[in-house]
Amino acid sequence: MHLTKWGHACVSLTRPGLRLVIDPGVLTEPEALDGADAVLITHEHPDHFAEDRLRAAAEANPALRIWTNRSVAALLHGLGTRVTAVGDGDAFDIDGVGVQVRGEWHRPIHPDVPDVPNIGFLVDGTLFHPGDAFTVPDTPVDTLLVPVHGPWSSTGEVVDYLREVGPRRALTIHDGQLNQAGNHVVDTVLGATLAGSATDYTRLAPGEQTALAPVAAAKAVGSTS
C-alpha cells in the first residue's frame, strides 16, 4: 500500500483496486478525492471535512463509501447507507483493509470553544491518523500521521505525543496553516528532540508518496519496541 500526502491533514492510501482518502478538507487540493473508493472523516471541522466536495465525489461515484463519526454522518443526510457512523472501539473492513477506530473527542482548544467529537483511524494495523487529537492507540503503530500544528496544541505537546506513541516512522500532517519558515521551526525542534530515538521523522511535500510497511513487517517492528 502506498501513501500520498495531500494538503494539510489529508492523505490517500492506494493499493490495486482500492483508493482510500482520509480527511479531505478545504485546505486540501480538490483532486485528492478523484477516483476515491472510500473516505474516512475524523471530525466536522472544515479543514478535515469539506461537505460540498464530498457530496460532489459521491455524486460522481455512486459506489463511494464514507465512514465517520455520528456528528459528521448526520450532516451527510441523503446519502443513506453509503455513510456509516462509527465510534471508539469499532472495527470494519474496506475491501480487505482492516480499520479500527480509536478516540472520542477533539483536543480542547479553549473553554470558550465547544468541543466536538473526533475519532482516529488505525488502518491495516500499521498507520494511525488521529485527526485533531493526541490519541494513543492501544497497539504498536508503525507509521503515525502526526499533527504538528494547530490552535489546540504546542510543539512541546507534539514532542510528548511522539514519544508516548513511539512509532517507527512519523509523517507530518496538519501543517497547512504554517508557512515555510514555520514548518522549518517545527522540523528543527522535532528533529532535535527525536534524535537518537527509534522514530524516523519525515515531512512529505504535497503530492509526495511513500510505501507503507506490510502488516507482518509492521507488527514485527512493533513487537520489539
Side-chain angles (χ1 to χ4, degrees), residues 17 54 60 69 76 85 87 89 103 122 144 147 187-189 198 216:
L54 192 53
N69 65 37
L76 292 171
L122 179 62
L144 175 67
D187 291 346
T188 299
V189 173

Short mmCIF file of all heavy atoms in Angstrom, two decimals, residues 17 54 60 69 76 85 87 89 103 122 144 147 187-189 198 216:
data_model
loop_
_atom_site.label_atom_id
_atom_site.label_comp_id
_atom_site.label_asym_id
_atom_site.label_seq_id
_atom_site.Cartn_x
_atom_site.Cartn_y
_atom_site.Cartn_z
N GLY A 17 -6.94 -1.82 -6.82
CA GLY A 17 -8.37 -1.97 -6.60
C GLY A 17 -8.96 -1.12 -5.49
O GLY A 17 -10.16 -1.18 -5.24
N LEU A 54 -17.23 16.52 -0.83
CA LEU A 54 -17.51 15.11 -0.58
C LEU A 54 -18.81 14.69 -1.24
O LEU A 54 -18.90 13.60 -1.82
CB LEU A 54 -17.57 14.86 0.93
CG LEU A 54 -17.56 13.41 1.38
CD1 LEU A 54 -16.40 12.62 0.78
CD2 LEU A 54 -17.52 13.32 2.90
N ALA A 60 -20.43 11.77 -8.22
CA ALA A 60 -19.66 11.29 -9.37
C ALA A 60 -19.42 9.79 -9.31
O ALA A 60 -19.29 9.14 -10.36
CB ALA A 60 -18.32 12.03 -9.43
N ASN A 69 -17.64 9.87 12.19
CA ASN A 69 -18.35 9.84 13.46
C ASN A 69 -19.82 10.24 13.26
O ASN A 69 -20.23 10.64 12.18
CB ASN A 69 -17.65 10.74 14.49
CG ASN A 69 -17.67 12.21 14.14
OD1 ASN A 69 -18.64 12.73 13.60
ND2 ASN A 69 -16.58 12.91 14.44
N LEU A 76 -24.35 14.46 6.59
CA LEU A 76 -24.36 13.87 5.24
C LEU A 76 -25.68 13.17 4.95
O LEU A 76 -25.73 12.13 4.30
CB LEU A 76 -23.18 12.89 5.10
CG LEU A 76 -21.80 13.55 5.09
CD1 LEU A 76 -20.71 12.48 5.16
CD2 LEU A 76 -21.62 14.41 3.84
N ALA A 85 -21.71 5.47 10.41
CA ALA A 85 -21.24 6.14 11.63
C ALA A 85 -20.52 5.14 12.51
O ALA A 85 -21.03 4.04 12.77
CB ALA A 85 -22.41 6.76 12.38
N GLY A 87 -17.56 4.65 16.02
CA GLY A 87 -17.03 5.28 17.22
C GLY A 87 -15.91 4.47 17.83
O GLY A 87 -15.53 3.40 17.33
N GLY A 89 -13.52 2.05 19.42
CA GLY A 89 -13.61 0.61 19.62
C GLY A 89 -14.20 -0.15 18.46
O GLY A 89 -14.09 -1.39 18.41
N GLY A 103 -10.42 6.77 19.89
CA GLY A 103 -10.62 8.16 20.30
C GLY A 103 -12.07 8.59 20.23
O GLY A 103 -12.89 7.98 19.55
N LEU A 122 -6.97 3.62 12.72
CA LEU A 122 -5.81 2.75 12.59
C LEU A 122 -6.06 1.86 11.37
O LEU A 122 -6.96 1.01 11.39
CB LEU A 122 -5.63 1.90 13.84
CG LEU A 122 -4.47 0.91 13.84
CD1 LEU A 122 -3.13 1.62 13.71
CD2 LEU A 122 -4.50 0.05 15.10
N LEU A 144 2.90 6.82 12.21
CA LEU A 144 1.98 7.77 12.83
C LEU A 144 1.91 9.02 11.98
O LEU A 144 2.94 9.62 11.64
CB LEU A 144 2.48 8.14 14.23
CG LEU A 144 1.68 9.22 14.97
CD1 LEU A 144 0.28 8.72 15.31
CD2 LEU A 144 2.42 9.66 16.24
N PRO A 147 -0.06 15.34 13.79
CA PRO A 147 -0.48 16.73 13.57
C PRO A 147 0.49 17.67 14.26
O PRO A 147 0.59 17.70 15.49
CB PRO A 147 -1.88 16.79 14.21
CG PRO A 147 -1.90 15.67 15.20
CD PRO A 147 -0.95 14.63 14.73
N ASP A 187 10.12 21.43 12.23
CA ASP A 187 11.00 20.32 11.85
C ASP A 187 12.30 20.34 12.65
O ASP A 187 12.82 19.29 13.05
CB ASP A 187 11.32 20.39 10.35
CG ASP A 187 10.13 20.09 9.47
OD1 ASP A 187 9.12 19.57 10.01
OD2 ASP A 187 10.19 20.38 8.27
N THR A 188 12.83 21.53 12.89
CA THR A 188 14.07 21.64 13.65
C THR A 188 13.90 21.15 15.08
O THR A 188 14.70 20.37 15.60
CB THR A 188 14.58 23.09 13.65
OG1 THR A 188 14.84 23.51 12.30
CG2 THR A 188 15.85 23.22 14.46
N VAL A 189 12.81 21.59 15.73
CA VAL A 189 12.56 21.19 17.12
C VAL A 189 12.28 19.70 17.22
O VAL A 189 12.88 18.99 18.05
CB VAL A 189 11.40 22.00 17.72
CG1 VAL A 189 11.03 21.47 19.10
CG2 VAL A 189 11.75 23.47 17.79
N ALA A 198 13.99 5.83 18.24
CA ALA A 198 13.71 4.84 17.19
C ALA A 198 12.77 5.38 16.13
O ALA A 198 12.43 4.66 15.19
CB ALA A 198 13.13 3.58 17.82
N ALA A 216 2.67 -7.63 8.37
CA ALA A 216 3.56 -8.54 9.11
C ALA A 216 4.84 -7.84 9.53
O ALA A 216 5.31 -7.97 10.67
CB ALA A 216 3.88 -9.76 8.26
#
